[in-house]
């Protein structure tokens, strides 16, 4: 089972320095963001380091503009379409996407269905899977999958940390297991979205791994970690952070393999 880490775990050192640390720590691959400075060049750089690209995360701020008409709605749509385009041109099959943004509830709209239909159609043309992620309002996953779930390009990325702090008890992993195509693994205290190294928070990883085995997941273990979302790593050297992340990831993988044999 391959082990990946989010390449943008910090912005305080260069992209190349991050990839070198990731490679030297034994990771198989990376997940990428879509920053303005790197969105066209990061794929070739990753290839030079011999790191596979698991997926690209499209920008996630202001995604509610796709549901509710506002002055940035067209920009947010075009930005997301561009991310699909760039993934397709670089042979990246999976793009993680947030269905909403924030915690203020609202109802799905016709305007939103039209926008997401454009995204799904574009993904089908470009050969890119859209992995919708559970975030603050997981009910919108029901909306997306009910409306667009017949498309083979509409998939699911399960984020264990988000469920622990945003939507306890929703069990999105089992609910949408037939669409599961990726994981975001990180830890937190159950209150804040800390994106900690596994076992640095209070998530029950044994229960998670047993659920994962029950749905027969065979993809990669992918760690979505950020050094700066918590005070826990303020004095931790970057090399130590990546090394500890790799150690935790390998332990998770080993435990998963043991559970699958039970």
């Amino acid at each position: 089972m391959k082990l990946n880490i989010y390449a943008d775990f910090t912005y305080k050192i260069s992209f190349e320095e991050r990839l070198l640390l990731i490679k030297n720590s034994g990771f198989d691959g990376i997940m990428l963001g879509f920053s303005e400075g790197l969105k066209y060049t990061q794929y070739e750089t990753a290839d030079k380091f011999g790191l596979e690209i698991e997926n690209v995360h499209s920008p996630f701020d202001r995604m509610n503009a796709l549901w509710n008409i506002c002055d940035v709605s067209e920009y947010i749509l075009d930005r997301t379409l561009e991310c699909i385009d760039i993934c397709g041109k670089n042979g990246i099959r999976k793009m993680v996407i947030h269905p909403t943004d924030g915690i203020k509830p609202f109802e799905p709209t016709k305007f939103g269905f039209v926008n997401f239909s454009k995204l799904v159609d574009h993904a089908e043309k470009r050969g890119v899977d859209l992995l919708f992620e559970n975030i603050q309002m997981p009910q919108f996953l029901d909306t997306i999958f009910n409306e667009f779930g017949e498309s083979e390009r509409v998939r699911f990325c399960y984020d264990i940390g988000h469920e622990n702090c945003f939507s306890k008890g929703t069990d999105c992993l089992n609910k949408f297991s037939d669409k599961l195509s990726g994981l975001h693994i990180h830890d937190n205290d159950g209150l804040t979205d800390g994106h900690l190294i596994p076992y640095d928070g209070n998530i029950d990883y044994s229960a998670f791994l047993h659920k994962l085995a029950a749905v027969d997941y065979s993809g990669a273990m992918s760690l979505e970690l950020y050094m700066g979302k918590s005070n826990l790593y303020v004095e931790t050297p970057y090399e130590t952070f990546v090394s500890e992340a790799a150690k935790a990831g390998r332990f998770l993988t080993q435990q998963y393999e043991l559970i699958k044999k039970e």
Side-chain angles (χ1 to χ4, degrees):
M1 175 171 278
K2 293 182 178 179
L3 181 62
N4 305 316
I5 189 173
Y6 189 51
D8 296 338
F9 61 89
T10 183
Y11 291 107
K12 294 185 177 180
I13 56 177
S14 71
F15 185 60
E16 289 79 4
E17 288 176 288
R18 282 177 261 147
L19 294 194
L20 182 60
L21 291 178
I22 290 168
K23 183 67 176 179
N24 289 343
S25 294
F27 283 96
D28 301 296
I30 52 176
M31 299 177 290
L32 295 173
F34 195 68
S35 65
E36 283 298 321
L38 293 171
K39 63 183 180 181
Y40 297 114
T41 61
Q42 55 188 350
Y43 316 97
E44 183 178 350
T45 306
D47 186 59
K48 289 179 181 177
F49 280 89
L51 291 165
E52 296 182 17
I53 300 172
E54 169 70 7
N55 56 54
V56 170
H57 201 313
S58 64
F60 48 81
D61 61 290
R62 296 171 289 175
M63 288 298 285
N64 289 353
L66 294 182
W67 292 102
N68 303 298
I69 300 173
C70 65
D71 57 353
V72 296
S73 293
E74 184 176 358
Y75 165 72
I76 299 300
L77 177 62
D78 288 344
R79 178 184 71 177
T80 312
L81 290 169
E82 181 190 23
C83 192
I84 295 171
D85 269 335
I86 293 176
C87 285
K89 289 176 182 177
N90 287 278
I92 310 302
R93 181 171 176 175
K94 299 178 182 180
M95 187 184 98
V96 177
I97 178 171
H98 285 191
T100 57
D101 173 35
I103 61 174
K104 187 177 181 180
F106 61 91
E107 294 298 317
T109 63
K110 182 177 179 181
F111 178 71
F113 287 129
V114 170
N115 283 327
F116 279 90
S117 179
K118 291 177 181 178
L119 295 177
V120 172
D121 289 345
H122 203 58
E124 289 176 342
K125 292 173 183 176
R126 296 293 183 266
V128 177
D129 290 351
L130 301 181
L131 277 60
F132 289 92
E133 180 181 355
N134 57 302
I135 49 172
Q136 291 96 331
M137 293 187 282
Q139 65 269 27
F140 271 82
L141 290 177
D142 292 290
T143 299
I144 292 293
F145 291 135
N146 287 340
E147 188 72 18
F148 306 109
E150 290 185 4
S151 172
E152 292 183 0
R153 295 298 177 192
V154 175
R155 308 296 298 171
F156 175 49
C157 174
Y158 175 66
D159 190 305
I160 184 174
H162 287 172
E163 187 164 302
N164 191 55
C165 69
F166 294 143
S167 54
K168 291 181 179 69
T170 53
D171 199 8
C172 289
L173 178 57
N174 277 318
K175 187 173 185 179
F176 304 114
S177 62
D178 61 324
K179 288 285 187 178
L180 184 64
S181 289
L183 300 173
H184 278 175
I185 301 172
H186 52 97
D187 216 330
N188 59 55
D189 60 4
L191 300 173
T192 56
D193 189 24
H195 284 263
L196 309 176
I197 294 172
Y199 303 103
D200 282 351
N202 65 14
I203 289 178
D204 183 347
Y205 278 100
S206 177
F208 162 65
L209 294 175
H210 277 86
K211 288 183 180 180
L212 207 59
V215 302
D216 198 27
Y217 178 75
S218 59
M221 288 287 187
S222 298
L223 310 183
E224 192 191 31
L225 311 178
Y226 299 98
M227 291 189 74
K229 293 203 75 173
S230 159
N231 291 326
L232 193 60
Y233 309 115
V234 171
E235 297 183 1
T236 303
Y238 305 117
E239 182 176 2
T240 301
F241 179 84
V242 178
S243 176
E244 289 299 311
K247 184 190 300 184
R250 283 192 290 269
F251 182 74
L252 273 175
T253 300
Q254 291 164 2
Q255 293 302 301
Y256 183 58
E257 295 298 339
L258 289 173
I259 290 170
K260 287 179 70 176
K261 293 177 181 178
E262 291 178 353

